[in-house]
């Protein structure tokens, strides 16, 4: 499969980030806890190199807890502050607030020496499309102040959001990688729904996903669909189609429909809490 997706508004978003970064004390980068490496935009490391950094492992409730803990250690070892959150339920928000304060302690001390008191810390929230930025901001601020949607690219413009007397947030549109050097990264982003479905081959994606499950989460397919995991990926997909009644005229298996069903089962946790990558492989 070949993934390539970089709409024009993302170039504009990158430029906007470059212009606004000088106003910022700390960059809060959201990544998807199921794919922390693939959902982390390398452009942001370059844009934010002189700023304090906080990585938020969002959707931690959907990921394999042991793998998420390993990712937290991985990023902390690289000098990032790290928080695990579930934006939908508001879990982990207190920790994010305290980590912003902790990360910016030196800055506050410098301000105090210069006689600058009570200036709010300014944070920029960044992340690729569909990683849950708007939901995170709403939950963090405690009110619906950023437009949310489950389609990539809902946030379009710049807005400041006052969290409390100590912290202000600058929301920015999500930006995706200009190109995927590693096609496995594109596949993982497609699996979690960060790339628009219309441009993808669902059957190919589903077969790749079946291969991953057989290797990393042996038994999950058997438990959910009662299939034989020793078969080839395409045979397994056909078996899922038969078992789940994904059939066309003449009793032909509809593997495209079965593929969509498999991906929907993954995204809605019917296959359990799964992580698609581990830190030691990076």
């Amino acid at each position: 499969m070949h993934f390539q997706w970089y709409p024009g508004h993302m170039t504009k978003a990158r430029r906007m980030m470059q212009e606004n970064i000088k106003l910022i004390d700390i960059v809060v980068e959201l990544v998807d806890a199921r794919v922390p490496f693939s959902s982390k935009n390398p452009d942001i490391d370059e844009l934010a190199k002189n700023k304090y950094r906080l990585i938020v492992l969002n959707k931690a409730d959907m990921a394999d807890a042991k793998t998420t803990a390993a990712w937290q250690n991985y990023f902390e070892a690289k000098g990032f502050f790290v928080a695990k959150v579930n934006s939908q339920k508001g879990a982990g928000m207190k920790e994010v607030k305290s980590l912003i304060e902790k990360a910016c302690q030196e800055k506050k001390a410098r301000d105090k020496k210069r006689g600058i008191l009570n200036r709010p810390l300014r944070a920029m929230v960044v992340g690729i499309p569909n990683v849950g930025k708007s939901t995170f901001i709403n939950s963090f601020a405690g009110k619906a102040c950023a437009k949310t949607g489950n389609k990539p690219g809902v946030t379009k413009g710049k807005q400041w959001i006052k969290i409390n007397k100590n912290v202000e947030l600058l929301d920015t549109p999500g930006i995706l990688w200009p190109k995927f050097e590693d096609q496995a990264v594109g596949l993982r982003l497609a699996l979690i729904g960060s790339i628009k479905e219309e441009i993808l081959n669902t059957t190919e994606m589903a077969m790749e996903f079946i291969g991953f499950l057989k290797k990393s989460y042996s038994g999950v397919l058997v438990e959910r669909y009662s299939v034989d995991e020793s078969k080839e990926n395409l045979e397994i997909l056909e078996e899922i189609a038969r078992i789940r009644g994904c059939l066309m005229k003449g009793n032909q298996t509809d593997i495209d429909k079965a593929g969509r069903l498999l991906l929907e089962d993954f995204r809605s946790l019917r296959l359990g809490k799964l992580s698609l990558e581990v830190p030691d492989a990076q």
Side-chain angles (χ1 to χ4, degrees), residues 203 234-259:
T203 303
L234 178 58
E235 290 178 293
I236 291 174
L237 192 57
E238 285 172 336
E239 216 176 310
I240 292 171
R242 274 192 298 275
I243 289 163
R244 289 304 166 99
C246 302
L247 303 169
M248 298 185 283
K249 279 182 184 171
N251 237 20
Q252 286 272 83
T253 54
D254 187 342
I255 57 172
D256 193 57
K257 189 176 179 183

Side-chain angles (χ1 to χ4, degrees), residues 152-222:
V154 167
T155 313
K156 291 286 189 287
K158 173 177 80 164
Q159 51 183 336
W160 283 99
I161 297 148
K162 193 173 176 65
I163 300 299
N164 53 35
K165 65 181 189 335
N166 297 324
V167 182
E168 287 179 356
L169 284 189
L170 175 63
D171 182 29
T172 60
I175 45 176
L176 199 64
W177 293 29
K179 57 183 179 295
F180 303 117
E181 298 293 349
D182 179 354
Q183 289 299 297
V185 166
L187 173 67
R188 290 175 199 133
L189 291 177
L191 287 170
I192 64 163
S194 274
I195 299 173
K196 289 177 181 174
E197 298 272 324
E198 307 91 79
I199 63 170
L200 304 171
N201 182 320
T202 309
T203 303
E204 278 186 49
M205 268 174 66
M207 286 199 295
E208 292 276 0
F209 185 49
I210 286 167
F212 165 78
L213 289 173
K214 280 158 64 175
K215 187 178 163 194
S216 302
Y217 289 96
S218 177
V220 163
L221 289 165
V222 180

Side-chain angles (χ1 to χ4, degrees), residues 8-23:
H9 73 266
M10 292 193 182
T11 309
K12 189 177 158 200
R14 191 183 193 283
R15 212 166 39 239
M16 195 189 291
M17 257 188 79
Q18 277 173 312
E19 287 163 14
N20 291 317
I21 203 93
K22 54 185 172 288
L23 308 170

Side-chain angles (χ1 to χ4, degrees), residues 28-259:
V28 178
E29 183 178 6
L30 259 70
V31 297
D32 189 304
R34 296 166 294 176
V35 289
F37 175 75
S38 294
S39 59
K40 189 176 183 318
N41 189 320
D43 285 356
I44 291 165
D45 288 338
E46 177 56 32
L47 288 164
K49 62 187 172 195
N50 299 317
K51 303 293 172 183
Y52 301 112
R53 303 290 303 280
L54 169 60
I55 298 262
V56 173
L57 293 159
N58 195 28
K59 305 185 185 182
D61 55 305
M62 302 178 83
D64 183 325
K66 263 162 86 173
T67 307
T68 301
W71 277 110
Q72 180 163 10
N73 293 337
Y74 170 86
F75 285 124
E76 284 174 348
K78 290 189 174 292
F80 294 98
F81 289 87
V82 184
K84 293 179 283 193
V85 308
N86 169 1
S87 297
Q88 292 281 4
K89 297 218 168 123
M93 294 301 154
K94 277 186 187 161
E95 192 191 0
V96 172
K97 283 176 190 171
S98 70
L99 282 174
I100 287 175
E101 302 257 358
K102 189 177 173 186
C104 298
Q105 269 175 340
E106 285 175 32
K107 163 88 179 60
K108 292 206 86 159
R110 280 200 308 273
D111 279 357
K112 199 174 176 183
K113 271 187 185 170
R114 287 157 58 196
I116 303 166
L117 302 173
N118 305 322
R119 185 178 86 73
L121 295 168
R122 289 187 147 182
M124 182 188 276
V125 181
V126 298
I128 69 166
N130 221 29
V131 82
K133 259 180 347 90
S134 298
T135 306
F136 166 78
I137 290 165
N138 291 344
S139 182
F140 191 51
K143 57 188 182 295
C145 52
K147 190 180 174 190
T148 59
N150 58 4
K151 290 215 169 170
V154 167
T155 313
K156 291 286 189 287
K158 173 177 80 164
Q159 51 183 336
W160 283 99
I161 297 148
K162 193 173 176 65
I163 300 299
N164 53 35
K165 65 181 189 335
N166 297 324
V167 182
E168 287 179 356
L169 284 189
L170 175 63
D171 182 29
T172 60
I175 45 176
L176 199 64
W177 293 29
K179 57 183 179 295
F180 303 117
E181 298 293 349
D182 179 354
Q183 289 299 297
V185 166
L187 173 67
R188 290 175 199 133
L189 291 177
L191 287 170
I192 64 163
S194 274
I195 299 173
K196 289 177 181 174
E197 298 272 324
E198 307 91 79
I199 63 170
L200 304 171
N201 182 320
T202 309
T203 303
E204 278 186 49
M205 268 174 66
M207 286 199 295
E208 292 276 0
F209 185 49
I210 286 167
F212 165 78
L213 289 173
K214 280 158 64 175
K215 187 178 163 194
S216 302
Y217 289 96
S218 177
V220 163
L221 289 165
V222 180
E223 195 178 326
R224 178 73 184 160
Y225 306 108
S226 304
V227 294
D228 181 354
E229 276 190 2
S230 67
K231 289 185 176 178
E232 293 296 316
N233 298 350
L234 178 58
E235 290 178 293
I236 291 174
L237 192 57
E238 285 172 336
E239 216 176 310
I240 292 171
R242 274 192 298 275
I243 289 163
R244 289 304 166 99
C246 302
L247 303 169
M248 298 185 283
K249 279 182 184 171
N251 237 20
Q252 286 272 83
T253 54
D254 187 342
I255 57 172
D256 193 57
K257 189 176 179 183

